[in-house]
């Protein structure tokens, strides 16, 4: 199992199963903010949101290996899912 923004399109394009895991920007920022706070890192939600927005723009707009789903990847939108639901969806697909 590999996780990364270009795994299915550049690193392992022949993998038999690919997922493009995504969620609404605000949901991802909220999750990351909570994760950082749980480790003692003091950061505002707004700062996390801005950094994620900038990273998404960089990664999707770069010339080499832009962030995008592989043509044969299952797009898995986790906006309204918890970790167990995501795992269940992935295992069901496999």
């Amino acid at each position: 199992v590999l996780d990364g923004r270009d795994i299915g399109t550049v690193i392992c394009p022949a993998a038999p199963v690919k997922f493009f895991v995504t969620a609404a920007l605000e949901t991802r920022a909220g999750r990351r903010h909570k994760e950082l706070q749980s480790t003692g890192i003091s950061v505002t939600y707004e700062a996390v949101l801005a950094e994620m927005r900038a990273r998404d723009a960089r990664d999707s707009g770069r010339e080499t290996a832009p962030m995008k789903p592989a043509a044969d990847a299952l797009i898995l939108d986790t906006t309204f899912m918890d970790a167990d639901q995501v795992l269940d969806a992935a295992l069901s697909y496999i």
Side-chain angles (χ1 to χ4, degrees):
V1 174
L2 296 174
D3 175 31
R5 292 186 163 207
D6 64 354
I7 298 298
T9 56
V10 177
I11 306 301
C12 298
V17 177
K18 299 179 197 111
F19 297 102
F20 187 83
V21 181
T22 189
L25 176 63
E26 294 79 8
T27 300
R28 292 185 292 120
R31 290 171 179 166
R32 180 69 174 148
H33 180 245
K34 184 177 177 181
E35 176 186 27
L36 292 170
Q37 284 189 322
S38 74
T39 63
I41 297 173
S42 179
V43 63
T44 66
Y45 167 80
E46 291 76 15
V48 173
L49 180 65
E51 173 54 32
M52 292 186 93
R53 183 175 284 123
R55 181 179 179 207
D56 285 355
R58 280 192 313 270
D59 288 357
S60 61
R62 65 185 174 216
E63 187 173 325
T64 302
M67 178 181 65
K68 64 181 180 180
D72 58 343
L74 173 69
I75 298 174
L76 190 53
D77 185 338
T78 68
T79 301
F80 301 107
M81 301 169 83
D82 64 25
D84 289 333
Q85 291 170 317
V86 173
L87 178 60
D88 288 345
L91 292 175
S92 292
Y93 180 74
I94 293 169

